[in-house]
Every structure is written in C-alpha cells, then in structure tokens.
C-alpha cells in the first residue's frame, strides 16, 4: 500500500489554497494516489457546523481537520487540507500528530488579496463592517519554515503547483513523473536547497 501523507495549505482568505489543492488533487490522482480534499469552507458546513470564529472555535476546527487528515494518511491516502489555519501552534500540533506533513504557505500581500476579492470581504473588514477577519483585525501567524512557499500574487497556478509536486517527488512521497520535468535548473536548485535546509535531503 502506498504511504499516505498530508498536504496542508495555509494562507489568508483568497490566497489560492483551494485552487492549488484541486489542481494538486488532479495530478496526484493521475499518479495513482488515493486523494481526499478537506476544504475549509466544506468542513465548516459539515464537520464543524455550529462553531464560531473565536480563537477557541478556530482551534477546535483545525484540530478536527488534523484528526481526519491523520486517519486518512495512516490508511494510505494523500489528505489535502485547504484551511486558513491562522495559528502556528495548532498547525504544529497537527504536524506532530500526522508525521508525514507537508506545509504549503500560500503567501500573498493584503493589497493583492483585497484587489481580487470578488465578495469584497477585505474592503468591508478594512472599513470595520466585518469584525474578526483574519489578516485584517484578527491575527494570521505565517509559517516560519514551510516545506513549500508559493507566492500566489506573482506566480501562475501552474508555477505554484509545479513547486508543490516537485517537492513531494523529492521527498519520496509520490512517484516521479515518467516524462521529463519542466523545471528550470534554478527552480530545481531552489526546491532542493529548501528541503536540504529543512533536513529532508
């Protein structure tokens, strides 16, 4: 049975977590992996219905996602979580629980997120119409050493996905593509250096 793992996307609202998660799912399925996505909005509607947005409720929600990811990963599934997950301590708890945990930080500046926000939530939050909005008047603790760092305001979806998939290949978590990779030498070296600095290779 293939080894399972958890691919954990974190980042502010609108930073591209769900888009990248869905694209990664397509590629992992093509590689013969069993894959499940746990999307933050879907989890809120089902698994965590009734929870609010206090720090305690946010922590409970992310712990629940981590618990499900652990169950899936233990049974050979590539679990993909796409949640804001604003607090570092809870993400680290999930890392310790799951073990094979690959953190992807979707980094994008606030002004870029506000500019492309179709619902206008950032604008409302900045105007004080929405309270407790992560990244505006509620904290977001960015990962210090994520396995993958993608800059979604300046990278294309394919560029970001390429970084993620190549990292998973180099970590030995997924089979490498049979065709030649499309990464430049610079991109390859950047990914390898990151993994070396983190102690993976």
């Amino acid at each position: 049975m293939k080894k399972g793992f958890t691919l954990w996307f974190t980042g502010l609202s609108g930073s591209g977590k769900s888009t990248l998660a869905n694209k990664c799912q397509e590629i992992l399925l093509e590689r013969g992996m069993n894959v499940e996505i746990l999307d933050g909005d879907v989890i809120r509607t089902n698994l965590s219905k009734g929870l609010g947005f206090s720090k305690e409720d946010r922590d409970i929600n992310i712990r629940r996602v981590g618990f499900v990811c652990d169950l899936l990963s233990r049974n050979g599934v590539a679990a993909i979580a796409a949640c804001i997950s604003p607090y570092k301590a809870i993400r680290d708890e999930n890392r310790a629980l799951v073990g094979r945990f690959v953190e992807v930080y979707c980094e994008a500046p606030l002004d870029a997120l506000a500019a492309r926000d179709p619902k206008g939530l950032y604008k409302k939050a900045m105007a004080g119409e929405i309270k407790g909005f992560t990244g505006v008047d509620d904290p977001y603790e960015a990962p210090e050493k994520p396995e993958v760092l993608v800059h979604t305001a300046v990278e294309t979806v394919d560029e970001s996905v390429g970084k993620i998939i190549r990292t998973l290949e180099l970590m030995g978590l997924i089979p490498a593509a049979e065709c030649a990779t499309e990464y430049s030498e610079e991109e390859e070296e950047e990914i390898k250096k990151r993994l070396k600095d983190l102690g993976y290779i």
Side-chain angles (χ1 to χ4, degrees), residues 25-199:
Q25 181 188 40
E26 291 176 17
I27 294 171
L28 295 181
L29 287 170
E30 289 171 1
R31 304 277 179 99
M33 302 290 297
N34 293 319
V35 190
E36 286 290 343
I37 290 184
L38 291 89
D39 185 88
D41 291 338
V42 177
I43 292 293
R44 278 274 179 186
T45 304
N46 297 281
L47 188 65
S48 292
K49 190 174 183 180
L51 288 179
F53 290 90
S54 66
K55 184 178 186 308
E56 183 181 9
D57 280 1
R58 290 177 198 248
D59 288 351
I60 291 170
N61 179 51
I62 297 306
R63 283 192 180 105
R64 287 179 181 176
V65 178
F67 176 77
V68 176
C69 285
D70 180 46
L71 290 179
L72 292 168
S73 297
R74 275 191 279 158
N75 286 281
V77 176
I80 301 177
C83 306
I84 293 173
S85 43
Y87 304 117
K88 182 180 181 298
I90 307 302
R91 295 195 306 267
D92 287 348
E93 273 186 32
N94 286 341
R95 176 186 290 277
L97 175 68
V98 175
R100 285 189 295 277
F101 185 95
V102 180
E103 189 172 43
V104 180
Y105 174 30
C106 299
E107 183 278 330
L110 206 57
D111 57 351
L113 297 175
R116 69 185 187 193
D117 176 19
K119 297 178 183 176
L121 297 178
Y122 279 101
K123 187 177 180 181
K124 290 178 181 177
M126 289 171 178
E129 296 172 28
I130 300 176
K131 300 295 183 185
F133 195 85
T134 301
V136 178
D137 63 341
D138 211 69
Y140 175 78
E141 298 170 358
E144 295 170 5
K145 294 181 178 179
E147 280 74 11
V148 189
L149 173 60
V150 292
H151 303 285
T152 57
V154 295
E155 295 173 3
T156 66
V157 170
D158 286 343
E159 285 171 339
S160 295
V161 169
K163 282 186 184 179
I164 298 162
I165 296 301
R166 187 59 182 144
T167 298
L168 294 175
E169 289 175 347
L170 289 170
M171 291 177 71
L173 293 171
I174 65 171
E178 292 180 9
C179 59
T181 57
E182 298 178 5
Y183 312 103
S184 68
E185 287 185 19
E186 287 181 3
E187 289 172 326
E188 185 84 0
E189 286 307 311
E190 179 189 340
I191 295 168
K192 286 181 177 178
K193 182 181 183 303
R194 184 166 202 88
L195 291 177
K196 189 174 182 180
D197 289 345
L198 292 170

